[in-house]
Amino acid sequence: MATRVQQDAYADFPVKKVSLYYIVLAFAALTIGTLFGPFQALNYGDINLYPWLQKLLPFVKSYYQGLTLHGVLNAIVFTQLFAQGALLYLQSREMKLQPKMGVAWFSWWLALVGLVLAAIPLLANDATVLYTFYPPLKGHPLFYIGAALIIVSSYITIYLSVDLWLRWKKQNPGKPTPLVSYMSLVTWMMWGVAALGLVLEAVFLLIPWSLGWMKGVDPLVARTLFWWTGHPIVYFWLLPAYVIWYGILPKQAGGKLISDPLARLVFLMFLVFSTPVGFHHQFADPGIDPGWKMVHTVLTMMVAVPSLITAFTIAASLEYAGLMRGGKGFWGKIARLPWDNPSVAASILGAIAFIVGGAGGIVNASFTLDYVVHNTTWIPGHFHLPVATAVTLTHMGAAFWLIPHLTGKPLVNPRAALIGVYLWFTGMMVMGLGMHMMGLQGVPRRAWISNMAPNLKGAYAESAPYMALNAAAGVILLVAATLILYVIFATLLQGRRLPAAERPEVPFTEVISGPEGRRSVMVMDRLFFWWGTALVLVLIVYMPTLIKLLGQFVAAPGWRLW
Amino acid sequence: MNERMIEAYERGWVMFALFMILVFLVFIGYTLSGFAFYIPTSAERIDPTKVLAGGFPQPHVEEVGPGKYQAYVIARAFSFTPGEMHFKVGDEVTFFVTSPDVQHGFYVHGTDINVQVIPGEVAKVKTKFKRPGEYLVICNEYCGIGHQNMLGKIVVEE
């Protein structure tokens, strides 16, 4: 009897259940990954709590193992699983179609199996290679195989999204794709082009090498393939948050989205320009021609344009919301926004953090300036703003309505959620300041500086004031994470369900200027053409370098140095 | 706040964004053409298993002209050789850096020398020391359990 009630909760729209499973798995991964975060922040506060942590959790051997878990689970697993759940759901809902359910479940199980396989060597300290897994550091083969299965799962979701779109197009000939579906589909198409680098690295280098079928790998070829995926993966994390900012936030804030065609243009630019930019992570690499580094610099600057347009559009849509809510004047309109709604606050605070993060990103992408900050704490200080604040906070905010919508269970303790959101934002900003400043003073990233040899202690003493900021941020973020994750899991685990009529709807936004009758919208709707264009552009900017390097392939044997 | 007004602001903002990016690119091009000799290039590709067996010179510093030096540096887990180098203010130094094991960083604190040391590549990078003092050489790429202790030193005298 109980199971029948359970099934009824999803009977009206079967994709609800698989989406919920993705989102729950995503937050489970985030819970483990996030709990290592405060220890890392304290490390950069020169406080070494790892000996204590090891007593509590005997499998944790070092800062570097915790850092690997933190990076893999938060940045790679959480973001992808949340996108698989949320984007597929929003597209299905908007198109009023079900994805192929058997395939969707297969994809979820594949992600779970991949996650478990990768987790075994990670927890056993057999793959402490950080989330960039630069060879010739050599982890256990299960780590690479598990990670590859997670990527395969994402390709299945790309297929599901395209399949939904083609079915909708057949039913609605000549009509433009609905906006949220368009944004979701473009996100998946972009990822399809972007992830190819990682697929090539895993299939042709990492997996055969870790299994002992190859004597060595070329570390520079591996780096180049990694960053083919490694920069656009940031847009793959970011675009689901953009979908929420464009497609959901204006409605939640009480306004409308300013322009539908402009939102499409932004996503189309991401499809084309996201991927051919990876060399800006390799400015310090010998072996890559400075001319090609400059080409990637120009393209990276181009990909800043859609984000700058987004800053305008989202701000204008929020201004409209402030006006509709009776706000007068600059501050009046801001003050009238629903700052006490944890979901809205999470999105807006995330977007504010993104402005700071984006400005720092322009610095990193500036070829000749990057040497000041390359591999210093400036870099993690930077990406915790777009990724750990903008993306993660927006997803947490979305979970506050999406989980009640999917399960019919009301949000537990919205007040704790609200406090958690503000504390998360505060903690990240404090840490961002600390890490950016330490980076400018030359402190290296990913270093166990709280555990230096006695004769080297004090090498970074000039950064002491900023170290204090990191330590404080670690504590603030621990409280924030506890509150937010408590709300999410308490909501999921309660027995209470709202009657169908009281369940929250998906707050799809309305638009002020729509897509009707615009030729540009129909041109942008030819997505297979744009997808092909994106792929060709990537091949043009990568093939000359890769072919040259493969012609002088270096076989570096593997090392386990942790 | 009407549609036409929003579109006008929007066009202005996009133009401003494009202009700003153009300015940044001009600055980058200018620094690139003038004085960006600190950009690492590849001196040669090398078999990392042969670095310690004569494939790469013994780590040392040699004078190649008045005030001009070449330094051959090996970065390996978890130290630099030579661990300490001495120069005079105004010396122009070309570093050749490689690794026999995993990736490392070669970052000279307080300068623009910041190199990804990759097994299989000999990185070449040049600088001129303008200020006297002790410069920390920091490995800033994760290379294993002792990564945080991988530090060297450059002393620049008057």
Side-chain angles (χ1 to χ4, degrees):
Chain A
M1 205 55 206
T3 42
R4 175 155 306 168
V5 173
Q6 197 76 21
Q7 277 170 356
D8 281 347
Y10 311 106
D12 60 325
F13 210 71
V15 65
K16 271 185 172 178
K17 189 170 179 184
V18 71
S19 298
L20 179 69
Y21 271 56
Y22 274 115
I23 288 164
V24 172
L25 193 57
F27 277 102
L30 184 74
T31 303
I32 300 170
T34 293
L35 290 178
F36 285 97
F39 293 93
Q40 285 142 222
L42 288 167
N43 168 59
Y44 274 107
D46 205 15
I47 299 166
N48 183 18
L49 283 189
Y50 287 88
W52 178 81
L53 183 62
Q54 201 181 356
K55 277 189 201 131
L56 201 68
L57 306 169
F59 66 87
V60 180
K61 303 293 181 210
S62 73
Y63 161 79
Y64 299 110
Q65 188 192 2
L67 185 60
T68 306
L69 281 160
H70 180 79
V72 170
L73 293 175
N74 291 357
I76 296 176
V77 176
F78 167 72
T79 48
Q80 179 188 313
L81 290 172
F82 189 89
Q84 286 179 290
L87 292 191
L88 192 66
Y89 184 73
L90 291 175
Q91 185 182 353
S92 306
R93 193 87 217 186
E94 193 184 36
M95 291 186 153
K96 300 188 177 69
L97 291 170
Q98 299 297 319
K100 292 183 173 158
M101 289 307 296
V103 182
W105 276 110
F106 175 71
S107 167
W108 183 83
W109 278 103
L110 202 61
L112 178 68
V113 170
L115 180 56
V116 171
L117 289 185
I120 294 166
L122 285 174
L123 295 172
N125 196 31
D126 280 331
T128 300
V129 291
L130 305 190
Y131 80 132
T132 43
F133 38 86
Y134 292 142
L137 284 172
K138 189 177 184 177
H140 192 282
L142 277 185
F143 170 69
Y144 304 113
I145 293 168
L149 291 181
I150 295 174
I151 304 293
V152 172
S153 165
S154 76
Y155 271 92
I156 297 174
T157 308
I158 298 174
Y159 162 76
L160 289 171
S161 176
V162 172
D163 171 67
L164 273 177
W165 180 58
L166 293 176
R167 274 156 54 201
W168 188 91
K169 276 279 176 188
K170 203 172 270 176
Q171 290 174 3
N172 300 274
K175 281 197 201 160
T177 310
L179 180 62
V180 170
S181 301
Y182 184 87
M183 295 190 287
S184 302
L185 178 63
V186 168
T187 304
W188 288 115
M189 287 182 159
M190 187 280 290
W191 176 240
V193 175
L196 286 176
L198 202 53
V199 170
L200 293 172
E201 188 194 3
V203 172
F204 291 105
L205 298 176
L206 298 177
I207 292 176
W209 171 65
S210 65
L211 288 169
W213 302 344
M214 270 168 91
K215 258 180 45 205
V217 287
D218 190 311
L220 182 54
V221 171
R223 267 179 80 81
T224 305
L225 290 172
F226 180 84
W227 288 115
W228 166 332
T229 302
H231 191 74
I233 202 174
V234 180
Y235 301 121
F236 174 54
W237 302 336
L238 190 63
L239 292 185
Y242 273 31
V243 171
I244 292 164
W245 295 350
Y246 277 102
I248 305 288
L249 174 64
K251 171 88 171 182
Q252 285 182 307
K256 289 179 181 178
L257 179 65
I258 294 299
S259 166
D260 165 300
L262 202 61
R264 289 170 199 262
L265 177 67
V266 162
F267 273 73
L268 197 62
M269 286 184 78
F270 275 116
L271 174 59
V272 176
F273 291 117
S274 282
T275 313
V277 300
F279 288 175
H280 80 247
H281 289 255
Q282 296 181 277
F283 287 145
D285 289 22
I288 290 177
D289 182 70
W292 280 113
K293 288 179 181 171
M294 190 62 200
V295 171
H296 283 229
T297 302
V298 174
L299 289 164
T300 311
M301 292 292 172
M302 285 307 296
V303 84
V305 174
S307 282
L308 287 161
I309 297 176
T310 300
F312 177 90
T313 311
I314 300 304
S317 301
L318 289 174
E319 181 178 354
Y320 183 76
L323 193 67
M324 287 297 103
R325 299 172 75 92
K328 297 255 171 349
F330 181 77
W331 294 108
K333 280 182 270 193
I334 293 176
R336 285 293 173 100
L337 291 173
W339 294 101
D340 56 347
N341 175 333
S343 185
V344 174
S347 276
I348 299 179
L349 293 174
I352 291 170
F354 188 71
I355 295 173
V356 187
I362 299 267
V363 173
N364 306 344
S366 298
F367 189 176
T368 45
L369 207 51
D370 178 60
Y371 300 92
V372 180
V373 297
H374 175 73
N375 273 355
T376 67
T377 58
W378 170 285
I379 302 298
H382 157 71
F383 68 64
H384 276 81
L385 298 178
V387 183
T389 318
V391 173
T392 309
L393 207 45
T394 300
H395 290 359
M396 287 165 167
F400 295 153
W401 65 263
L402 190 53
I403 291 176
H405 168 82
L406 293 173
T407 58
K409 298 175 177 183
L411 189 71
V412 167
N413 205 338
R415 193 159 185 85
L418 189 69
I419 296 168
V421 163
Y422 281 93
L423 283 179
W424 186 280
F425 175 77
T426 310
M428 285 293 175
M429 288 312 231
V430 171
M431 190 181 80
L433 179 63
M435 294 198 98
H436 275 90
M437 295 308 290
M438 283 168 78
L440 290 179
Q441 294 176 333
V443 179
R445 72 186 282 197
R446 5 170 96 167
W448 197 356
I449 64 163
S450 60
N451 187 35
M452 287 174 86
N455 61 320
L456 300 172
K457 270 270 170 212
Y460 308 117
E462 68 164 331
S463 296
Y466 301 116
M467 289 185 183
L469 290 182
N470 281 325
V475 177
I476 297 171
L477 285 165
L478 181 63
V479 176
T482 308
L483 287 170
I484 292 170
L485 293 169
Y486 152 72
V487 169
I488 285 173
F489 286 103
T491 301
L492 281 165
L493 296 173
Q494 70 187 323
R496 215 181 125 209
R497 281 181 207 265
L498 293 168
E502 288 173 33
R503 294 179 186 180
E505 288 296 312
V506 179
F508 283 122
T509 193
E510 295 165 63
V511 294
I512 295 179
S513 81
E516 298 79 14
R518 301 241 193 174
R519 248 176 61 89
S520 64
V521 169
M522 295 321 289
V523 172
M524 288 192 282
D525 231 30
R526 288 188 201 144
L527 280 172
F528 283 124
F529 168 77
W530 295 110
W531 203 4
T533 307
L535 183 63
V536 169
L537 190 58
V538 175
L539 295 178
I540 290 173
V541 300
Y542 270 105
M543 280 310 135
T545 303
L546 279 173
I547 289 169
K548 190 175 132 215
L549 290 174
L550 288 172
Q552 315 162 282
F553 194 83
V554 168
W559 294 79
R560 179 186 167 137
L561 296 173
W562 60 88
Chain B
M1 200 175 169
N2 60 46
E3 227 172 295
R4 185 162 302 175
M5 193 175 104
I6 293 168
E7 272 183 22
Y9 276 124
E10 183 184 284
R11 253 197 304 279
W13 171 250
V14 172
M15 285 300 137
F16 172 71
L18 287 170
F19 174 73
M20 214 160 56
I21 278 162
L22 191 69
V23 169
F24 293 156
L25 287 172
V26 167
F27 278 139
I28 295 167
Y30 169 69
T31 49
L32 205 55
S33 65
F35 39 89
F37 42 76
Y38 52 80
I39 290 170
T41 54
S42 176
E44 59 170 326
R45 297 215 98 195
I46 191 170
D47 181 344
T49 60
K50 305 222 164 79
V51 166
L52 298 174
F56 185 75
Q58 281 291 321
H60 71 284
V61 178
E62 71 181 51
E63 190 167 6
V64 291
K68 286 190 190 221
Y69 292 84
Q70 288 187 343
Y72 293 85
V73 180
I74 291 181
R76 60 190 296 206
F78 302 104
S79 64
F80 295 100
T81 0
E84 190 171 329
M85 291 176 269
H86 289 258
F87 302 105
K88 292 218 157 44
V89 170
D91 283 352
E92 192 185 284
V93 187
T94 306
F95 294 97
F96 294 88
V97 194
T98 196
S99 159
D101 46 40
V102 297
Q103 295 186 32
H104 297 282
F106 180 75
Y107 168 55
V108 183
H109 192 237
T111 73
D112 294 321
I113 301 292
N114 196 341
V115 183
Q116 192 79 26
V117 184
I118 303 172
E121 289 284 339
V122 177
K124 179 184 171 190
V125 67
K126 195 163 81 174
T127 195
K128 197 175 215 169
F129 287 100
K130 293 178 193 138
R131 279 171 291 124
E134 274 194 19
Y135 293 75
L136 213 50
V137 179
I138 301 171
C139 172
N140 61 8
E141 183 56 78
Y142 167 65
C143 56
I145 194 73
H147 164 53
Q148 70 279 4
N149 294 329
M150 189 166 162
L151 299 175
K153 199 198 284 185
I154 290 175
V155 181
V156 178
E157 285 141 9
E158 287 282 3

